[in-house]
Amino acid sequence: MKNKSKVILLPCNSYREELVYDSLKKGLKLLGGLEALISKDEKILLKPNLLKRAEVEKAVITHPAVVGMFGKLLKEEGYERVILADSCGHGNTTKVIAGTGMDTYLQELGIPAVDFSEGIRTPYEEGVQAKEFILGKELLEINCVISLCKMKTHALERITGAVKNSYGFIYGLHKAKGHTLFPSADSFARMLIDLNQCVNPRLYIMDGITAMEGNGPGSGDPVDMKVMLMSTDPVALDSVFCRLVHLKPQMVPTCYHGEKMGLGTWKEEEIQLLTPEGELSMAEAVKKYGNPEFNVDRRIVKYGIWEKMAKALNLFQKKPYIEESRCIRCGICVNSCPVPEKAVDFKNGKDHPPVYNYKKCIRCFCCQEMCPEKAIKVK
Ligand code: SF4
Ligand code: SF4
C-alpha cells in the first residue's frame, strides 16, 4: 500500500518567538527530525515568500519570526552552510527583507541573504509543460532547498502556498515571461509542478499564523488562521490549507495537476494529518482550525461550450480594474505587465491612472500582485 503523505498541523496563535520555535521543533520531530531529511554537510537554501517590500503586518511575506526560528533550529542542530534567497516579484532579497526583522535574525544567525546574481538556463527534459527553466545561479550551487511559504489567496490559482512558492526560483524578469508562455491557470500550474519536481525542495513549511485573504497575493487582507503547516509533500500541504478555508483542493489547479503529475496528493485518504497532540481526521482539523468565512474564490469553473465561447470572446472573464482614488501613478503595474506591447499603460498620460487594454491582457494578474497601493482589484 502507498505510504500516506504526512502533513503536520501546528497550532500557533502568535508570532512570539518561543511559541514559533517550540511549534517548529515539535513539527520537525513529528517528521522524523532534521537529520532524517538533511545531512549536516549539505548546502541549504531557505526560500521564503518575499513577493515585494511590505510591512510585515500586511501578511505579504513569510513572517520573519518563522524564518528566524527555523534558521535558529538549523544552526542549533549543527547545519552551518545555510543561505536565504528569493527571486522577488519586485526588488531583490536584500531590499525586500531590509528593516522587516528578517535581516536582523539572519545577521545574528550568520545566514547570508543572497540576491540571485544571474539566471542559468537549466534543461528539464522530464517536464510535462516546461522543458527548461532559467534558475538563479546560487540555487544551482545548493544541495537542499527548504520552502518557507505563506498562506495567501491568489487571483490566478485561487491560493498561493507551497507549490506556487517555488516560482521564486526563476530568475528575475524571466518570471514575467513565464506568464506569457503559460497564460492559463492550468498551464501555469503544470509548469509550477514541473518546477517543483526539477528543484525538488526537501521540506515545505507554511506560515499561516496570519494568512492573507481576499485580493491576494499582494493586496489582500491579513486574517488570523493561527496555524503553521509542514510537509515534504507540497500538494498535500496545500490541500490541507484549502480544506481549512473550505475550498475544494481539486478546484485549485496546483493541487489538481500536482496529483495528476505525481508531485503529491490532495486526496484525504492518502494524507496523514498529525499535530503535537496526536493524529487528527481532516474533519476534526477543519472543525477545530478551519475558517468558513475566509475570503477565497470558491466558484466552480465550468468547461461547457458556452464557457469556452465566452472565454474566446473575452466575455465574463475575471479582469483587473484600477480604483482611481487609490492609484498614485507609480507605474509599477505597467512595468510588471509581461505582455511585450503592455496590456496596461499610461494611455492618458501620467496625470491619470493607467488604462487596460483587455484585448491584449492575458489575465496573469501580475499588475494586481505588484500594485503597492491595493488599487487593483480582480473582478
Ligand atoms: S501600480 Fe497601482 S498605484 Fe501604481 S500606477 Fe498601477 S494601479 Fe496605480
Ligand atoms: S494587464 Fe495585468 S493581468 Fe493583464 S497581462 Fe498585464 S499584468 Fe497581466
Side-chain angles (χ1 to χ4, degrees):
M1 205 176 81
K2 196 176 153 190
N3 280 343
K4 287 188 176 187
S5 288
K6 269 188 197 174
V7 178
I8 316 297
L9 187 154
L10 300 161
C12 193
N13 61 18
S14 88
Y15 287 107
R16 203 153 49 81
E17 285 180 358
E18 314 82 82
L19 210 55
V20 174
Y21 175 86
D22 195 46
S23 297
L24 289 172
K25 193 165 186 168
K26 285 176 180 163
L28 290 169
K29 195 168 171 205
L30 287 168
L31 275 181
L34 273 171
E35 275 185 78
L37 296 169
I38 317 165
S39 312
K40 288 278 157 70
D41 58 347
E42 287 188 283
K43 284 188 195 165
I44 302 169
L45 182 140
L46 303 180
K47 158 66 179 86
N49 183 321
L50 299 177
L51 177 68
K52 60 183 177 183
R53 196 163 162 71
E55 294 102 87
V56 171
E57 301 71 41
K58 289 188 173 167
V60 173
I61 62 169
T62 308
H63 198 283
V66 175
V67 176
M69 291 306 105
F70 185 72
K72 184 175 171 189
L73 279 161
L74 278 175
K75 287 289 175 152
E76 282 175 356
E77 295 267 334
Y79 294 92
E80 286 304 327
R81 306 166 83 195
V82 188
I83 64 167
L84 177 141
D86 188 17
S87 177
C88 313
H90 191 68
N92 54 25
T93 306
T94 44
K95 282 192 184 135
V96 171
I97 68 170
T100 61
M102 199 182 295
D103 47 348
T104 315
Y105 280 123
L106 296 178
Q107 271 162 22
E108 285 170 5
L109 293 163
I111 297 177
V114 170
D115 299 326
F116 288 135
S117 59
E118 63 175 299
I120 306 289
R121 192 170 294 279
T122 310
Y124 185 60
E125 286 306 320
E126 304 89 319
V128 172
Q129 186 75 58
K131 298 286 184 197
E132 65 170 29
F133 298 103
I134 310 292
L135 301 177
K137 178 172 172 274
E138 289 72 11
L139 170 70
L140 297 170
E141 294 160 2
I142 289 293
N143 312 105
C144 167
V145 171
I146 310 234
S147 176
L148 299 166
C149 52
K150 185 80 183 170
M151 182 184 274
K152 297 192 286 183
T153 47
H154 194 271
L156 183 66
E157 303 288 343
R158 296 181 195 252
I159 63 155
T160 168
V163 173
K164 171 73 178 52
N165 192 40
S166 294
Y167 203 45
F169 297 130
I170 304 291
Y171 182 70
L173 292 175
H174 292 278
K175 297 222 301 295
K177 198 171 166 208
H179 283 285
T180 58
L181 292 172
F182 313 107
S184 70
D186 286 308
S187 60
F188 196 74
R190 285 192 294 268
M191 175 277 298
L192 287 171
I193 310 301
D194 284 333
L195 178 59
N196 275 271
Q197 286 173 324
C198 173
V199 175
N200 196 17
R202 200 82 56 87
L203 173 65
Y204 298 80
I205 298 173
M206 179 180 282
D207 165 19
I209 299 174
T210 301
M212 178 184 280
E213 64 175 353
N215 199 33
S219 303
D221 303 305
V223 55
D224 287 341
M225 290 295 290
K226 299 182 180 175
V227 290
M228 286 188 285
L229 301 172
M230 196 183 267
S231 185
T232 55
D233 176 343
V235 181
L237 189 154
D238 282 347
S239 79
V240 173
F241 164 20
C242 292
R243 289 179 174 100
L244 291 179
V245 299
H246 293 243
L247 170 66
K248 286 185 180 153
Q250 60 273 41
M251 284 167 58
V252 172
T254 46
C255 287
Y256 177 82
H257 294 291
E259 195 269 332
K260 289 258 174 266
M261 290 165 64
L263 177 64
T265 183
W266 55 263
K267 295 181 177 167
E268 188 174 337
E269 64 276 17
E270 294 176 2
I271 296 171
Q272 185 186 29
L273 194 54
L274 298 172
T275 75
E277 280 70 49
E279 192 164 344
L280 272 189
S281 71
M282 206 65 83
E284 286 168 330
V286 171
K287 195 170 170 205
K288 208 165 170 191
Y289 302 103
N291 176 3
E293 308 294 325
F294 189 96
N295 182 5
V296 63
D297 183 1
R298 299 186 184 86
R299 284 169 305 163
I300 295 167
V301 178
K302 294 181 184 156
Y303 290 104
I305 182 77
W306 296 113
E307 288 76 22
K308 281 182 185 159
M309 271 172 67
K311 193 164 186 192
L313 295 170
N314 232 345
L315 299 172
F316 314 122
Q317 304 300 309
K318 284 200 281 189
K319 289 185 181 113
Y321 291 88
I322 294 176
E323 235 174 71
E324 187 167 351
S325 58
R326 282 179 170 268
C327 177
I328 57 165
R329 287 53 157 167
C330 65
I332 289 177
C333 54
V334 178
N335 293 335
S336 308
C337 181
V339 175
E341 58 278 27
K342 300 291 175 193
V344 58
D345 63 17
F346 286 105
K347 195 176 150 201
N348 300 330
K350 292 213 168 165
D351 292 337
H352 301 274
V355 177
Y356 283 103
N357 179 337
Y358 292 119
K359 284 195 180 138
K360 287 184 191 166
C361 175
I362 59 168
R363 312 304 201 257
C364 66
F365 307 122
C366 292
C367 49
Q368 173 255 6
E369 267 187 47
M370 290 304 144
C371 173
E373 298 297 319
K374 297 190 175 190
I376 303 181
K377 304 277 183 313
V378 175
K379 295 184 200 163

